[in-house]
């Protein structure tokens, strides 16, 4: 850091952020990370991770994030568990505003990841946190011996449903068609579980509730528009995620959905600003791919700083 200007600020934590932190700290860039109030990203909401190399018996998401953070901090990554409110990339050094304070940096790595998408149907807002959730790991235990719904046909839905069988007496997966984005292994695990029922061609069009909370949903068959009601006191929406890029206010180029676009390797449309992990990834979205991208962004930032004599 010279004249109060950092070499590198990392915005966001998770596997991409911590790996960028590890590499840049080992490269002596003395990085500062704004990890967010909920540091660790989506892995903090994940139960068992079985597909991250190096953990032969699996590991929980929060445990893995703790390991990544500890490893990066050992080499000098400074972490502040605060949210970035806004940025100004219109001139150098770049400005990052956190709780009203402005931080300056020669380079930036953005690793803010993605967040759950809601269905957005009638009755949803009123029941968020009162029966409808996007996180089984967080809220599953509230539904002991109850019958719950899971919405979606991807790996997240299968994972949530399988996890919920620890508590719920029955889990019904509702999917809007009969082909699946879920991987075969996770779909089979759900299909063969005695507590899980899978119902294809069922789209939730309305949530039903009374004073006690959620009571069920109105389902529509997209093939013919026919409707039916299903009773349930708990529902978990697992229909995908959207990138967390609103705080950038359009200062780096994104696609229509808000995913940051890479221009040259991991560099964004702004020279000196790099991005890694789910905030750029519309395809893989794995912890291991995010970590790999975090490494790339840190190495690219280091080279860019060298080339630009910072
Ligand atoms: P995803 O694969 O994009 O699946 C989203 C699902 O939600 C799809 O079945 C989609 O239906 C459905 N959907 C989307 N919008 C909907 C709407 N408005 N109404 C009803 N259904 C809707 O998302 P994901 O399951 O979150 O997985 C994302 C990535 O993370 C994947 O790469 C996955 O492999 C990975 N992941 C891995 C693990 C693991 O390995 N442990 C766990 C979780 C996630 P359609 O198919 O009809 O579009």
């Amino acid at each position: 850091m010279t004249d109060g200007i950092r070499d590198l600020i990392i915005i966001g934590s998770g596997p991409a952020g911590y790996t960028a932190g590890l590499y840049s700290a080992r490269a002596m860039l003395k990085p500062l990370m704004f990890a967010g109030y909920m540091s660790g990203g989506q892995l903090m909401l994940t139960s068992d991770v079985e597909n991250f190399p190096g953990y032969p018996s699996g590991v929980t998401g929060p445990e893995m994030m703790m390991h990544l953070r500890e490893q990066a901090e050992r080499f000098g990554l400074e972490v502040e568990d605060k949210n970035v409110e806004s940025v100004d990339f219109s001139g150098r050094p770049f400005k990052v505003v956190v709780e009203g304070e402005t931080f300056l940096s020669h380079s930036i790595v953005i690793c803010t990841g993605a967040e759950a998408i809601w269905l957005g149907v009638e009755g949803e807002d009123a029941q968020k946190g009162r029966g409808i959730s996007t996180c089984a790991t967080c809220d599953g235990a509230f539904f002991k011996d109850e019958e719950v719904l899971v919405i979606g046909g991807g790996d997240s839905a299968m994972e949530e449903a399988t996890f919920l069988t620890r508590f719920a007496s029955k889990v019904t997966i509702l999917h809007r068609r009969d082909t699946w984005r879920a991987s075969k292994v996770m779909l089979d695990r759900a299909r063969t579980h005695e507590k899980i029922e899978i119902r294809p061609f069922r789209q939730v069009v309305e949530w039903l509730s009374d004073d006690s909370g959620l009571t069920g949903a109105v389902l529509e068959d997209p093939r013919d528009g026919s409707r039916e009601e299903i009773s349930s006191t708990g529902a978990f929406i697992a229909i995908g995620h959207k990138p967390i890029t609103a705080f950038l206010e359009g200062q780096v180029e994104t696609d229509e959905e808000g995913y940051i676009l890479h221009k040259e390797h991991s560099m964004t449309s702004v020279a000196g600003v790099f991005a890694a992990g789910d905030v750029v990834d519309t395809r893989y979205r794995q912890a291991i791919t995010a970590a790999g991208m975090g490494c790339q962004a840190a190495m690219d930032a280091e080279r860019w700083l060298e080339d630009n004599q910072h």
Side-chain angles (χ1 to χ4, degrees):
M1 186 162 70
T2 47
D3 304 331
I5 306 174
R6 294 260 169 186
D7 281 328
L8 176 62
I9 287 180
I10 298 167
I11 305 175
S13 41
Y18 289 135
T19 307
L22 172 64
Y23 272 74
S24 55
R26 292 191 75 248
M28 310 301 282
L29 295 182
K30 298 192 170 59
L32 170 63
M33 169 186 282
F34 293 109
Y37 298 126
M38 302 271 289
S39 67
Q42 292 176 75
L43 264 292
M44 298 302 278
L45 310 176
T46 300
S47 46
D48 300 323
V49 181
E50 295 174 336
N51 52 10
F52 198 95
Y55 291 101
S57 315
V59 63
T60 69
E63 212 180 341
M64 190 168 86
M65 288 307 97
M66 202 176 68
H67 291 160
L68 293 189
R69 179 164 173 160
E70 273 176 20
Q71 191 177 355
E73 284 179 331
R74 181 155 79 87
F75 294 99
L77 173 69
E78 249 179 85
V79 184
E80 298 261 5
D81 291 320
K82 293 176 179 171
N83 280 3
V84 169
E85 283 147 19
S86 64
V87 294
D88 182 353
F89 297 158
S90 61
R92 291 189 206 151
F94 302 121
K95 296 190 179 88
V96 175
V97 179
V98 179
E99 295 184 355
E101 196 179 342
T102 300
F103 294 81
L104 303 176
S105 184
H106 294 301
S107 70
I108 305 279
V109 174
I110 302 167
C111 307
T112 41
E115 63 189 345
I117 299 172
W118 294 82
L119 279 174
V121 300
E122 204 181 320
E124 193 163 272
D125 283 343
Q127 298 310 316
K128 280 181 185 172
R130 298 186 70 230
I132 307 178
S133 166
T134 55
C135 177
T137 315
C138 320
D139 301 324
F142 297 127
F143 297 93
K144 195 160 176 1
D145 299 326
E146 295 180 40
E147 297 194 0
V148 299
L149 309 173
V150 172
I151 322 302
D155 279 339
S156 295
M158 301 309 133
E159 187 177 65
E160 299 277 86
T162 308
F163 178 77
L164 284 163
T165 58
R166 296 184 193 187
F167 315 102
S169 55
K170 181 181 174 188
V171 181
T172 304
I173 298 176
L174 303 170
H175 180 34
R176 61 185 176 184
R177 48 191 191 129
D178 71 344
T179 45
W180 307 85
R181 291 183 200 268
S183 55
K184 190 173 179 312
V185 59
M186 294 185 77
L187 181 58
D188 283 350
R189 198 174 290 167
R191 268 188 176 137
T192 53
H193 200 290
E194 57 181 9
K195 280 188 178 179
I196 296 179
E197 182 187 356
I198 298 186
R199 298 189 63 191
F201 298 115
R202 294 292 182 277
Q203 176 86 35
V204 173
V205 289
E206 185 185 342
W207 294 110
L208 303 171
S209 58
D210 62 18
D211 290 346
S212 65
L214 188 74
T215 56
V218 178
L219 309 181
E220 186 173 282
D221 185 332
R223 292 170 298 183
D224 58 11
S226 60
R227 292 190 171 192
E228 64 173 302
E229 285 187 13
I230 188 168
S231 299
S232 185
T233 47
F236 291 82
I237 300 173
I239 60 168
H241 292 81
K242 61 177 183 218
I244 300 173
T245 44
F247 72 100
L248 294 170
E249 294 169 334
Q251 295 189 57
V252 300
E253 257 178 58
T254 63
D255 70 7
E256 279 174 6
E257 290 175 52
Y259 287 93
I260 296 175
L261 296 171
H262 281 154
K263 287 292 164 179
E264 194 189 328
H265 303 296
S266 63
M267 193 147 74
T268 68
S269 56
V270 179
V273 177
F274 303 81
D278 282 12
V279 78
V280 296
D281 187 1
T282 57
R283 188 174 174 90
Y284 302 103
R285 298 162 170 156
Q286 303 297 302
I288 188 69
T289 52
M293 279 194 260
C295 157
Q296 291 170 330
M299 292 178 75
D300 289 342
E302 186 193 348
R303 282 180 199 163
W304 184 86
L305 287 166
E306 255 174 43
D307 292 346
N308 289 272
Q309 294 173 339
H310 289 299

Short mmCIF file of all heavy atoms in Angstrom, two decimals, residues 90-138:
data_model
loop_
_atom_site.label_atom_id
_atom_site.label_comp_id
_atom_site.label_asym_id
_atom_site.label_seq_id
_atom_site.Cartn_x
_atom_site.Cartn_y
_atom_site.Cartn_z
N SER A 90 -14.48 4.94 -12.52
CA SER A 90 -14.37 5.87 -13.65
C SER A 90 -12.94 6.44 -13.77
O SER A 90 -12.56 6.94 -14.82
CB SER A 90 -15.38 7.01 -13.52
OG SER A 90 -15.13 7.72 -12.33
N GLY A 91 -12.17 6.39 -12.70
CA GLY A 91 -10.78 6.86 -12.76
C GLY A 91 -9.94 6.04 -11.82
O GLY A 91 -10.46 5.24 -11.05
N ARG A 92 -8.60 6.19 -11.89
CA ARG A 92 -7.70 5.46 -11.01
C ARG A 92 -7.08 6.41 -10.01
O ARG A 92 -6.78 7.54 -10.38
CB ARG A 92 -6.61 4.77 -11.83
CG ARG A 92 -7.18 3.67 -12.66
CD ARG A 92 -6.05 2.88 -13.28
NE ARG A 92 -6.50 2.25 -14.52
CZ ARG A 92 -5.71 1.99 -15.55
NH1 ARG A 92 -4.43 2.31 -15.52
NH2 ARG A 92 -6.19 1.41 -16.60
N PRO A 93 -6.82 5.94 -8.79
CA PRO A 93 -7.15 4.62 -8.27
C PRO A 93 -8.66 4.43 -8.15
O PRO A 93 -9.41 5.40 -8.07
CB PRO A 93 -6.49 4.62 -6.90
CG PRO A 93 -6.42 6.06 -6.50
CD PRO A 93 -6.20 6.81 -7.76
N PHE A 94 -9.06 3.15 -8.15
CA PHE A 94 -10.48 2.84 -8.04
C PHE A 94 -10.97 3.12 -6.62
O PHE A 94 -10.20 3.02 -5.66
CB PHE A 94 -10.70 1.36 -8.37
CG PHE A 94 -10.22 0.98 -9.74
CD1 PHE A 94 -9.25 -0.01 -9.90
CD2 PHE A 94 -10.71 1.63 -10.87
CE1 PHE A 94 -8.79 -0.36 -11.16
CE2 PHE A 94 -10.25 1.28 -12.14
CZ PHE A 94 -9.28 0.30 -12.28
N LYS A 95 -12.24 3.48 -6.52
CA LYS A 95 -12.82 3.78 -5.20
C LYS A 95 -13.84 2.70 -4.82
O LYS A 95 -14.66 2.30 -5.65
CB LYS A 95 -13.53 5.14 -5.23
CG LYS A 95 -12.61 6.33 -5.49
CD LYS A 95 -13.38 7.62 -5.24
CE LYS A 95 -12.50 8.83 -5.47
NZ LYS A 95 -12.49 9.30 -6.85
N VAL A 96 -13.77 2.31 -3.55
CA VAL A 96 -14.70 1.32 -3.02
C VAL A 96 -15.29 1.90 -1.74
O VAL A 96 -14.54 2.23 -0.81
CB VAL A 96 -13.96 -0.02 -2.71
CG1 VAL A 96 -14.90 -1.02 -2.06
CG2 VAL A 96 -13.36 -0.60 -3.99
N VAL A 97 -16.60 2.06 -1.68
CA VAL A 97 -17.23 2.69 -0.53
C VAL A 97 -17.87 1.62 0.37
O VAL A 97 -18.67 0.80 -0.08
CB VAL A 97 -18.30 3.72 -0.97
CG1 VAL A 97 -18.97 4.36 0.25
CG2 VAL A 97 -17.68 4.78 -1.86
N VAL A 98 -17.44 1.65 1.64
CA VAL A 98 -17.90 0.65 2.61
C VAL A 98 -18.33 1.39 3.87
O VAL A 98 -17.51 2.09 4.49
CB VAL A 98 -16.76 -0.33 2.96
CG1 VAL A 98 -17.22 -1.35 3.99
CG2 VAL A 98 -16.26 -1.02 1.70
N GLU A 99 -19.59 1.24 4.24
CA GLU A 99 -20.14 1.93 5.42
C GLU A 99 -19.74 3.40 5.43
O GLU A 99 -19.27 3.94 6.43
CB GLU A 99 -19.69 1.22 6.71
CG GLU A 99 -20.27 -0.19 6.79
CD GLU A 99 -19.95 -0.92 8.08
OE1 GLU A 99 -19.18 -0.38 8.90
OE2 GLU A 99 -20.46 -2.03 8.25
N GLY A 100 -19.85 4.05 4.30
CA GLY A 100 -19.60 5.48 4.20
C GLY A 100 -18.13 5.86 4.04
O GLY A 100 -17.80 7.01 3.75
N GLU A 101 -17.23 4.90 4.22
CA GLU A 101 -15.80 5.18 4.11
C GLU A 101 -15.30 4.78 2.71
O GLU A 101 -15.70 3.73 2.19
CB GLU A 101 -15.05 4.36 5.17
CG GLU A 101 -13.63 4.84 5.41
CD GLU A 101 -12.93 4.00 6.50
OE1 GLU A 101 -13.62 3.32 7.27
OE2 GLU A 101 -11.69 4.02 6.52
N THR A 102 -14.42 5.61 2.13
CA THR A 102 -13.92 5.30 0.78
C THR A 102 -12.52 4.69 0.86
O THR A 102 -11.63 5.24 1.50
CB THR A 102 -13.88 6.58 -0.09
OG1 THR A 102 -15.20 7.10 -0.16
CG2 THR A 102 -13.38 6.28 -1.49
N PHE A 103 -12.35 3.55 0.22
CA PHE A 103 -11.05 2.87 0.13
C PHE A 103 -10.55 2.98 -1.30
O PHE A 103 -11.34 2.87 -2.25
CB PHE A 103 -11.20 1.40 0.53
CG PHE A 103 -11.56 1.21 1.97
CD1 PHE A 103 -12.89 1.35 2.38
CD2 PHE A 103 -10.60 0.93 2.92
CE1 PHE A 103 -13.24 1.19 3.72
CE2 PHE A 103 -10.93 0.76 4.26
CZ PHE A 103 -12.26 0.89 4.66
N LEU A 104 -9.23 3.17 -1.45
CA LEU A 104 -8.64 3.33 -2.78
C LEU A 104 -7.79 2.11 -3.11
O LEU A 104 -7.11 1.57 -2.24
CB LEU A 104 -7.76 4.58 -2.82
CG LEU A 104 -8.44 5.91 -2.44
CD1 LEU A 104 -7.42 7.04 -2.43
CD2 LEU A 104 -9.58 6.22 -3.41
N SER A 105 -7.83 1.72 -4.39
CA SER A 105 -7.01 0.57 -4.78
C SER A 105 -6.62 0.66 -6.25
O SER A 105 -7.38 1.16 -7.08
CB SER A 105 -7.78 -0.73 -4.53
OG SER A 105 -6.97 -1.84 -4.82
N HIS A 106 -5.40 0.15 -6.55
CA HIS A 106 -4.95 0.13 -7.95
C HIS A 106 -5.66 -0.95 -8.75
O HIS A 106 -5.78 -0.83 -9.97
CB HIS A 106 -3.43 -0.13 -8.00
CG HIS A 106 -2.62 0.99 -7.43
ND1 HIS A 106 -2.67 2.27 -7.91
CD2 HIS A 106 -1.74 1.01 -6.39
CE1 HIS A 106 -1.85 3.04 -7.20
NE2 HIS A 106 -1.28 2.30 -6.27
N SER A 107 -6.05 -2.04 -8.07
CA SER A 107 -6.75 -3.11 -8.80
C SER A 107 -7.85 -3.69 -7.90
O SER A 107 -7.82 -3.54 -6.68
CB SER A 107 -5.78 -4.21 -9.26
OG SER A 107 -5.32 -4.93 -8.14
N ILE A 108 -8.78 -4.36 -8.57
CA ILE A 108 -9.96 -4.91 -7.87
C ILE A 108 -10.23 -6.31 -8.41
O ILE A 108 -10.11 -6.54 -9.62
CB ILE A 108 -11.23 -4.06 -8.18
CG1 ILE A 108 -11.04 -2.57 -7.85
CG2 ILE A 108 -12.47 -4.65 -7.50
CD1 ILE A 108 -11.19 -2.17 -6.41
N VAL A 109 -10.60 -7.23 -7.51
CA VAL A 109 -11.15 -8.51 -7.97
C VAL A 109 -12.57 -8.63 -7.40
O VAL A 109 -12.75 -8.54 -6.17
CB VAL A 109 -10.30 -9.72 -7.54
CG1 VAL A 109 -11.00 -11.02 -7.92
CG2 VAL A 109 -8.92 -9.67 -8.18
N ILE A 110 -13.54 -8.81 -8.26
CA ILE A 110 -14.95 -8.93 -7.83
C ILE A 110 -15.32 -10.41 -7.76
O ILE A 110 -15.21 -11.14 -8.75
CB ILE A 110 -15.90 -8.22 -8.81
CG1 ILE A 110 -15.52 -6.75 -8.95
CG2 ILE A 110 -17.34 -8.35 -8.36
CD1 ILE A 110 -16.20 -6.06 -10.14
N CYS A 111 -15.76 -10.84 -6.58
CA CYS A 111 -16.14 -12.25 -6.39
C CYS A 111 -17.43 -12.30 -5.57
O CYS A 111 -17.50 -13.01 -4.56
CB CYS A 111 -15.08 -13.00 -5.60
SG CYS A 111 -13.43 -12.87 -6.24
N THR A 112 -18.43 -11.54 -5.97
CA THR A 112 -19.62 -11.41 -5.13
C THR A 112 -20.63 -12.54 -5.33
O THR A 112 -21.65 -12.57 -4.63
CB THR A 112 -20.31 -10.05 -5.39
OG1 THR A 112 -20.28 -9.78 -6.80
CG2 THR A 112 -19.59 -8.94 -4.66
N GLY A 113 -20.38 -13.42 -6.28
CA GLY A 113 -21.21 -14.62 -6.39
C GLY A 113 -22.63 -14.36 -6.86
O GLY A 113 -22.90 -13.43 -7.61
N ALA A 114 -23.51 -15.20 -6.37
CA ALA A 114 -24.90 -15.15 -6.83
C ALA A 114 -25.83 -15.42 -5.66
O ALA A 114 -25.40 -15.89 -4.61
CB ALA A 114 -25.10 -16.21 -7.92
N GLU A 115 -27.11 -15.11 -5.85
CA GLU A 115 -28.09 -15.36 -4.78
C GLU A 115 -29.32 -16.04 -5.34
O GLU A 115 -29.57 -15.99 -6.55
CB GLU A 115 -28.47 -14.05 -4.08
CG GLU A 115 -29.16 -13.07 -5.01
CD GLU A 115 -29.35 -11.69 -4.39
OE1 GLU A 115 -29.21 -11.56 -3.16
OE2 GLU A 115 -29.65 -10.76 -5.14
N ALA A 116 -30.09 -16.65 -4.46
CA ALA A 116 -31.24 -17.46 -4.88
C ALA A 116 -32.31 -16.62 -5.58
O ALA A 116 -32.57 -15.48 -5.19
CB ALA A 116 -31.85 -18.16 -3.68
N ILE A 117 -32.94 -17.23 -6.58
CA ILE A 117 -34.07 -16.61 -7.28
C ILE A 117 -35.36 -17.11 -6.63
O ILE A 117 -35.47 -18.28 -6.28
CB ILE A 117 -34.07 -17.00 -8.78
CG1 ILE A 117 -32.79 -16.51 -9.45
CG2 ILE A 117 -35.29 -16.45 -9.49
CD1 ILE A 117 -32.63 -17.03 -10.88
N TRP A 118 -36.31 -16.20 -6.48
CA TRP A 118 -37.63 -16.58 -5.94
C TRP A 118 -38.59 -16.78 -7.12
O TRP A 118 -38.33 -16.29 -8.23
CB TRP A 118 -38.13 -15.48 -5.01
CG TRP A 118 -37.29 -15.35 -3.77
CD1 TRP A 118 -36.11 -14.67 -3.67
CD2 TRP A 118 -37.53 -15.93 -2.49
NE1 TRP A 118 -35.60 -14.80 -2.38
CE2 TRP A 118 -36.46 -15.55 -1.64
CE3 TRP A 118 -38.55 -16.73 -1.96
CZ2 TRP A 118 -36.39 -15.96 -0.31
CZ3 TRP A 118 -38.48 -17.12 -0.63
CH2 TRP A 118 -37.41 -16.74 0.18
N LEU A 119 -39.70 -17.46 -6.86
CA LEU A 119 -40.67 -17.69 -7.94
C LEU A 119 -41.40 -16.42 -8.34
O LEU A 119 -41.73 -16.22 -9.51
CB LEU A 119 -41.72 -18.72 -7.50
CG LEU A 119 -41.33 -20.19 -7.59
CD1 LEU A 119 -42.43 -21.04 -6.98
CD2 LEU A 119 -41.08 -20.60 -9.04
N GLY A 120 -41.69 -15.57 -7.35
CA GLY A 120 -42.38 -14.31 -7.63
C GLY A 120 -43.87 -14.49 -7.90
O GLY A 120 -44.45 -13.70 -8.64
N VAL A 121 -44.48 -15.52 -7.31
CA VAL A 121 -45.92 -15.72 -7.53
C VAL A 121 -46.71 -15.16 -6.35
O VAL A 121 -46.15 -14.85 -5.29
CB VAL A 121 -46.28 -17.21 -7.77
CG1 VAL A 121 -45.54 -17.74 -8.99
CG2 VAL A 121 -45.98 -18.06 -6.53
N GLU A 122 -48.03 -15.06 -6.53
CA GLU A 122 -48.90 -14.48 -5.52
C GLU A 122 -48.74 -15.19 -4.18
O GLU A 122 -48.66 -16.42 -4.12
CB GLU A 122 -50.35 -14.59 -6.01
CG GLU A 122 -51.26 -13.56 -5.38
CD GLU A 122 -52.69 -13.73 -5.87
OE1 GLU A 122 -52.89 -14.00 -7.07
OE2 GLU A 122 -53.59 -13.60 -5.02
N GLY A 123 -48.69 -14.41 -3.12
CA GLY A 123 -48.63 -14.97 -1.77
C GLY A 123 -47.21 -15.23 -1.29
O GLY A 123 -47.00 -15.59 -0.13
N GLU A 124 -46.22 -15.05 -2.17
CA GLU A 124 -44.84 -15.43 -1.80
C GLU A 124 -44.23 -14.45 -0.80
O GLU A 124 -43.67 -14.87 0.23
CB GLU A 124 -43.98 -15.50 -3.06
CG GLU A 124 -42.63 -16.16 -2.82
CD GLU A 124 -42.02 -16.56 -4.15
OE1 GLU A 124 -42.31 -17.67 -4.61
OE2 GLU A 124 -41.27 -15.76 -4.73
N ASP A 125 -44.32 -13.16 -1.10
CA ASP A 125 -43.66 -12.17 -0.24
C ASP A 125 -44.10 -12.30 1.21
O ASP A 125 -43.28 -12.25 2.13
CB ASP A 125 -43.93 -10.74 -0.74
CG ASP A 125 -43.08 -10.43 -1.97
OD1 ASP A 125 -42.09 -11.17 -2.19
OD2 ASP A 125 -43.40 -9.49 -2.70
N ALA A 126 -45.40 -12.48 1.40
CA ALA A 126 -45.94 -12.53 2.76
C ALA A 126 -45.45 -13.77 3.52
O ALA A 126 -45.38 -13.75 4.75
CB ALA A 126 -47.46 -12.53 2.71
N GLN A 127 -45.09 -14.82 2.81
CA GLN A 127 -44.72 -16.07 3.49
C GLN A 127 -43.21 -16.34 3.51
O GLN A 127 -42.77 -17.37 4.01
CB GLN A 127 -45.43 -17.26 2.84
CG GLN A 127 -46.94 -17.19 2.93
CD GLN A 127 -47.44 -16.90 4.34
OE1 GLN A 127 -46.95 -17.47 5.32
NE2 GLN A 127 -48.38 -15.98 4.46
N LYS A 128 -42.43 -15.40 2.96
CA LYS A 128 -40.97 -15.58 3.03
C LYS A 128 -40.55 -15.63 4.49
O LYS A 128 -40.89 -14.72 5.26
CB LYS A 128 -40.25 -14.41 2.34
CG LYS A 128 -40.22 -14.52 0.83
CD LYS A 128 -39.47 -13.34 0.23
CE LYS A 128 -39.55 -13.39 -1.29
NZ LYS A 128 -39.00 -12.19 -1.94
N GLY A 129 -39.86 -16.68 4.87
CA GLY A 129 -39.44 -16.80 6.27
C GLY A 129 -40.56 -17.27 7.19
O GLY A 129 -40.38 -17.44 8.38
N ARG A 130 -41.78 -17.45 6.65
CA ARG A 130 -42.92 -17.95 7.45
C ARG A 130 -43.40 -19.26 6.85
O ARG A 130 -44.57 -19.59 6.91
CB ARG A 130 -44.06 -16.93 7.47
CG ARG A 130 -43.68 -15.62 8.10
CD ARG A 130 -44.90 -14.70 8.23
NE ARG A 130 -45.84 -15.20 9.24
CZ ARG A 130 -47.16 -15.34 9.03
NH1 ARG A 130 -47.68 -15.04 7.86
NH2 ARG A 130 -47.95 -15.78 9.98
N GLY A 131 -42.51 -19.98 6.23
CA GLY A 131 -42.89 -21.25 5.61
C GLY A 131 -42.21 -21.43 4.26
O GLY A 131 -41.98 -22.54 3.83
N ILE A 132 -41.91 -20.31 3.58
CA ILE A 132 -41.23 -20.42 2.29
C ILE A 132 -39.78 -19.96 2.44
O ILE A 132 -39.51 -18.89 2.99
CB ILE A 132 -41.92 -19.56 1.20
CG1 ILE A 132 -43.41 -19.90 1.12
CG2 ILE A 132 -41.27 -19.81 -0.15
CD1 ILE A 132 -44.17 -19.06 0.11
N SER A 133 -38.87 -20.79 1.96
CA SER A 133 -37.45 -20.52 2.15
C SER A 133 -36.69 -20.85 0.87
O SER A 133 -37.21 -21.56 -0.01
CB SER A 133 -36.94 -21.41 3.30
OG SER A 133 -35.54 -21.45 3.35
N THR A 134 -35.47 -20.36 0.74
CA THR A 134 -34.60 -20.80 -0.36
C THR A 134 -33.39 -21.55 0.19
O THR A 134 -32.44 -21.77 -0.53
CB THR A 134 -34.11 -19.60 -1.21
OG1 THR A 134 -33.48 -18.67 -0.33
CG2 THR A 134 -35.25 -18.93 -1.96
N CYS A 135 -33.45 -21.93 1.46
CA CYS A 135 -32.27 -22.56 2.07
C CYS A 135 -32.67 -23.65 3.05
O CYS A 135 -33.01 -23.35 4.21
CB CYS A 135 -31.42 -21.49 2.76
SG CYS A 135 -30.01 -22.18 3.62
N ALA A 136 -32.59 -24.89 2.60
CA ALA A 136 -32.94 -26.01 3.47
C ALA A 136 -31.96 -26.14 4.63
O ALA A 136 -32.35 -26.47 5.75
CB ALA A 136 -32.97 -27.31 2.66
N THR A 137 -30.70 -25.87 4.36
CA THR A 137 -29.69 -25.98 5.43
C THR A 137 -30.03 -25.01 6.57
O THR A 137 -29.84 -25.33 7.74
CB THR A 137 -28.29 -25.63 4.89
OG1 THR A 137 -28.13 -26.30 3.65
CG2 THR A 137 -27.21 -26.06 5.84
N CYS A 138 -30.53 -23.82 6.19
CA CYS A 138 -30.85 -22.83 7.21
C CYS A 138 -32.15 -23.15 7.94
O CYS A 138 -32.24 -23.01 9.15
CB CYS A 138 -31.02 -21.44 6.60
SG CYS A 138 -29.86 -21.04 5.32
#
